[in-house]
Amino acid sequence: MDGHAEVTAVWRRESGRLVGALARLTRDVDLAEDLGQDALVEALEQWPRRGIPDNPAAWLMTTARRRAIDRFRRAATLDRRTRELARRLEQDERERQQLGRPGAPGPLGRRGAVTDVADHLDHIEDDVLRLLFLTCHPALTPASRVALTLRLVGGLTTAEIARAFLVGEATMAQRISRAKTTLRAARPAFELPVGDERRARLADVMAVVYLVFNEGYAATAGDRWTRPDLCREGVRLARLLAGLVPDEPEVHGLRALVELQAARTPARTTPTGAPVLLDDQDRSLWDHALVDQGLAALHRAARSGRPIGAYTLQASIAACHAQAATPAATDWPLVAALYDRLAAVAPGPVVEVNRAVAHGRAFGPDTGLAVLDGVELPGSSLLPAVRGDLLAAAGRHREAAAAFVTAAGLTANRAEQELLRRRAAEQRAATGDRER
């Protein structure tokens, strides 16, 4: 890769660690991000001309720390808090330098010349986890949590996040700025929560990671059925979280779920981007290495001996599909039983709609329709689309066509609209009714 591409790749991979460590030292997320951005700008200036350092993460960390020390030294008046921050940074930098090789010329050197800050940074994993908990603070709205997580932990630019959620860059910048203001006003503790608070907040963190992935897996708006870049980011964050909290089985369940679902991505659209439903997918195109990783994560979650949670149950359902060579080979009674367990663990209308699909495939469309009775999901295309599927399977083609038309009117995703309208036309054709 050229210098600029390498900087971007390193930043995406290391920004969470960098900003997390700086936030721990400065107790200020805004300042931490500013310092990280300063280091990024310097890398963009230096690396293309001088070459990529052997340890680019350490280079970024060293540069950001020195920028922080310089900033505090230049302050015209230092209150007690600022003096303490400057003292902490200088002491930390001296400790880092003592870990380096004698005669190391500094952060711009080549092989053997960079103090290995990243390797010796104490509790580096906790820094990333701390940042994840900060970006998922209860004071923030779910949308703000997603945006801030992608910005600070994922290393995405404001423009990239704005494109992902189909809003203008200025709008997304304002959303992120408001989120930071809200976070600052909440005066969050910069230490990792423990006990019940940690368990409660971990659920929020996992929910944000899954929201990121789901927006990539089934885009809520726009022209494309999927957004593979967001899928990849969701998988990366889930793996990161599983590495940071290895003793929590449900985190491995989340990782298994996103990996097993992401494995289908190559087969979920045609070369022109048109949606391909599960039964119609060429399963040879699935990423079977990703399937293996997902199954391994699922096994780790299931063998913990602790109660199985919602993510692990959903991953178990995804595993049923992943292990079936053909749609006909799917163990639908097992899928239905797993959805019954999921409905008991995490009840809700979306679970009921998917449970109706499973029961319809396992025991007949009338059984699935019975599950749908009384389910309400206002404003969502999912309920009428599934009703259309079940009605079509029952041979009630005119009702199915009407359900698909209703569903098409409820989605903002153009690819999904076209799919649903095509399915409505197929149902009308089955009855000989060619009217729109």
Side-chain angles (χ1 to χ4, degrees):
M1 291 187 293
D2 63 32
H4 285 83
E6 176 73 359
V7 175
T8 300
V10 171
W11 178 256
R12 183 67 54 85
R13 186 174 65 247
E14 301 293 341
S15 61
R17 294 185 179 93
L18 178 65
V19 176
L22 293 167
R24 170 172 54 83
L25 290 167
T26 64
R27 297 296 195 265
D28 188 325
V29 172
D30 271 340
L31 176 58
E33 189 184 14
D34 286 347
L35 293 169
Q37 292 290 329
D38 286 347
L40 174 62
V41 169
E42 190 161 334
L44 286 167
E45 293 173 349
Q46 299 284 353
W47 292 6
R49 292 189 291 106
R50 300 193 181 191
I52 308 301
D54 291 320
N55 192 332
W59 190 100
L60 289 169
M61 184 65 75
T62 300
T63 302
R65 287 174 183 276
R66 292 179 180 178
R67 286 294 186 98
I69 292 169
D70 289 344
R71 182 177 296 205
F72 287 124
R73 283 173 174 167
R74 288 196 303 266
T77 58
L78 297 176
D79 61 20
R80 187 173 63 183
R81 176 176 177 274
T82 304
R83 285 196 299 272
E84 171 60 23
L85 289 174
R87 185 199 63 77
R88 187 188 307 159
L89 281 163
E90 289 177 338
Q91 178 181 348
D92 202 68
E93 179 64 16
R94 284 195 298 272
E95 291 172 357
R96 304 298 168 223
Q97 290 174 352
Q98 289 170 7
L99 292 169
R101 298 177 179 84
L108 295 179
R110 292 295 299 167
R111 181 172 301 278
V114 179
T115 299
D116 203 354
V117 176
D119 288 347
H120 296 286
L121 182 62
D122 296 335
H123 309 301
I124 191 168
E125 291 85 1
D126 284 351
D127 287 332
V128 183
L129 187 59
R130 183 183 292 106
L131 192 59
L132 268 170
F133 275 93
L134 278 174
T135 59
C136 297
H137 194 278
L140 300 174
T141 66
S144 295
R145 293 175 191 174
V146 171
L148 210 54
T149 298
L150 290 174
R151 174 72 176 171
L152 297 181
V153 183
L156 275 67
T157 65
T158 303
E160 287 173 324
I161 303 170
R163 285 197 300 272
F165 291 93
L166 303 178
V167 299
E169 186 174 350
T171 299
M172 182 55 69
Q174 290 174 354
R175 182 180 300 176
I176 292 173
S177 178
R178 285 195 299 268
K180 290 180 180 178
T181 300
T182 301
L183 192 60
R184 192 181 308 113
R187 297 180 177 275
F190 279 79
E191 303 306 321
L192 282 172
V194 296
D196 290 341
E197 183 186 359
R198 177 167 177 168
R199 281 189 289 274
R201 292 278 293 280
L202 182 60
D204 290 337
V205 172
M206 289 191 292
V208 165
V209 172
Y210 196 42
L211 279 172
V212 171
F213 176 81
N214 263 340
E215 184 57 31
Y217 187 77
T220 55
D223 296 334
R224 294 185 295 167
W225 176 247
T226 63
R227 293 179 188 153
D229 54 339
L230 278 182
C231 278
R232 287 191 294 270
E233 187 61 24
V235 169
R236 190 180 77 85
L237 289 172
R239 288 172 172 172
L240 174 66
L241 192 58
L244 296 174
V245 197
D247 58 338
E248 289 288 343
E250 192 65 349
V251 172
H252 297 287
L254 172 63
R255 173 180 174 172
L257 174 59
V258 298
E259 288 180 335
L260 289 169
Q261 289 184 322
R264 306 175 197 162
T265 300
R268 294 190 67 232
T269 56
T270 67
T272 60
V276 180
L277 298 179
L278 182 61
D279 280 358
D280 301 321
Q281 289 172 16
D282 179 354
R283 299 188 176 205
S284 69
L285 297 177
W286 288 2
D287 186 334
H288 295 286
L290 201 52
V291 168
D292 290 343
Q293 292 177 63
L295 292 175
L298 176 59
H299 178 67
R300 181 169 182 175
R303 75 182 182 207
S304 69
R306 292 160 64 178
I308 291 177
Y311 293 113
T312 303
L313 283 168
Q314 291 177 82
S316 300
I317 293 166
C320 290
H321 297 297
Q323 293 173 305
T326 65
T330 305
D331 189 345
W332 283 107
L334 175 57
V335 173
L338 288 168
Y339 268 116
D340 290 342
R341 291 181 64 184
L342 182 60
V345 171
V350 173
V351 172
E352 287 301 302
V353 171
N354 285 295
R355 193 167 76 90
V357 174
H359 277 262
R361 298 297 293 269
F363 310 115
D366 290 338
T367 303
L369 287 166
V371 173
L372 280 186
D373 286 346
V375 177
E376 296 182 1
L377 200 55
S380 171
S381 63
L382 180 62
L383 179 58
V386 167
R387 190 182 299 279
D389 281 333
L390 292 168
L391 289 167
R396 297 160 62 177
H397 301 296
R398 284 193 173 86
E399 294 172 82
F404 287 133
V405 169
T406 298
L410 290 173
T411 179
N413 184 282
R414 189 170 301 174
E416 185 181 10
Q417 288 172 355
E418 293 174 356
L419 171 67
L420 291 165
R421 287 169 182 155
R422 184 171 69 250
R423 301 199 70 196
E426 291 169 353
Q427 293 303 305
R428 286 193 295 267
T431 64
D433 183 359
R434 302 289 181 173
E435 294 180 8
R436 289 182 175 272

